[in-house]
Amino acid sequence: MSERYNVYFQGEVAPGQSMPAVRSKLASIFNADKETLDKLFSGRPQLIKKACDKETALKFKRALEDAGAVPVVRRLETEENEGLSLAPLGADLLQGAERKQESVVTVDTAALDLVANDTVVSTPAHEGVSAPDVSHLSLAEPGIIPNLPGPDPIPEPALDNISLCPDGTDLSDCAAAPVALAAMNLEGLSVADLGSDMLAPAERKAESAAAPDVSHLSLN
């Protein structure tokens, strides 16, 4: 089976062509009414010729191009899908009975009334609050606000009792005075001979260790 083609038009006109002129030419070619033309120029692909041979597809293509329109030609796959065709881009794929039925809820509006346009339907949150009186206030020049307390001034140091040393002074006279050692009473003290016992026998720590048992020892 020879190749088959679909010819579409999706409302696009060739560069330099005006929409009204192309619309008028297509109305003459297809003997189309206003409703059909509105559908052709809706921006969605519309099938012009279905499953035609290559020669017929080229014929429709040239006719659309001569009218200033931009056609779209698509080849159909017929090797394993004979009798089938591709739906146009954006076409509905479900029938009405196949679609999910939307449940319609009826809202009772008998207790509702319409008000006039520009009517305020809510009370302002702060109704009756007047703006504060600022007639006694004025703006000062940029800078420090004079009536605000500033930081306490830093007192100037007293320099009356301070003078500069002559050039070359080593400042040794600024050293602290030496501390005088207190006199110690050494009467009644004497220096013991070298190697003397410094503690009396009663002041020494008593040795509590017993002598080891050497009865089983002998000299060779």
Side-chain angles (χ1 to χ4, degrees):
M1 185 176 180
S2 61
E3 293 181 341
R4 314 302 288 179
Y5 298 86
N6 280 351
V7 181
Y8 300 93
F9 176 64
Q10 55 186 12
E12 183 180 358
V13 300
Q17 299 289 335
S18 65
M19 183 75 71
V22 176
R23 184 184 177 99
S24 178
K25 293 178 183 179
L26 292 183
S28 300
I29 293 175
F30 298 109
N31 193 21
D33 55 13
K34 181 179 181 301
E35 182 179 356
T36 302
L37 291 174
D38 291 341
K39 188 176 181 181
L40 289 175
F41 286 88
S42 64
R44 299 176 62 181
Q46 303 298 325
L47 183 60
I48 303 298
K49 187 64 176 178
K50 177 181 178 181
C52 60
D53 56 25
K54 184 175 182 181
E55 183 179 356
T56 304
L58 292 176
K59 178 181 177 180
F60 275 86
K61 179 177 181 292
R62 285 192 295 269
L64 290 170
E65 290 176 341
D66 291 343
V70 178
V72 176
V73 180
R74 295 175 182 168
R75 183 172 62 87
L76 299 180
E77 298 293 340
T78 59
E79 294 181 0
E80 299 179 358
N81 299 314
E82 294 185 3
L84 301 179
S85 61
L86 295 177
L89 182 63
D92 294 334
L93 299 180
L94 297 178
Q95 298 180 0
E98 298 173 334
R99 296 183 179 280
K100 181 180 178 181
Q101 300 299 321
E102 300 291 341
S103 58
V104 179
V105 179
T106 303
V107 180
D108 184 10
T109 60
L112 302 179
D113 295 326
L114 294 178
V115 298
N117 194 20
D118 298 332
T119 300
V120 178
V121 295
S122 62
T123 304
H126 302 287
E127 185 176 5
V129 178
S130 58
D133 181 15
V134 295
S135 59
H136 61 288
L137 301 179
S138 61
L139 294 177
E141 294 295 330
I144 299 176
I145 302 177
N147 57 347
L148 291 181
D152 296 334
I154 300 175
E156 296 183 0
L159 304 177
D160 298 339
N161 58 346
I162 296 178
S163 61
L164 296 177
C165 295
D167 189 17
T169 303
D170 60 1
L171 301 180
S172 59
D173 57 339
C174 296
V179 178
L181 298 177
M184 299 179 65
N185 184 10
L186 301 179
E187 294 181 1
L189 298 180
S190 62
V191 177
D193 296 334
L194 183 63
S196 300
D197 291 334
M198 303 298 296
L199 296 176
E203 299 173 336
R204 295 181 179 278
K205 180 178 180 181
E207 297 293 340
S208 58
D213 183 12
V214 295
S215 59
H216 60 284
L217 301 178
S218 62
L219 296 176
N220 293 328

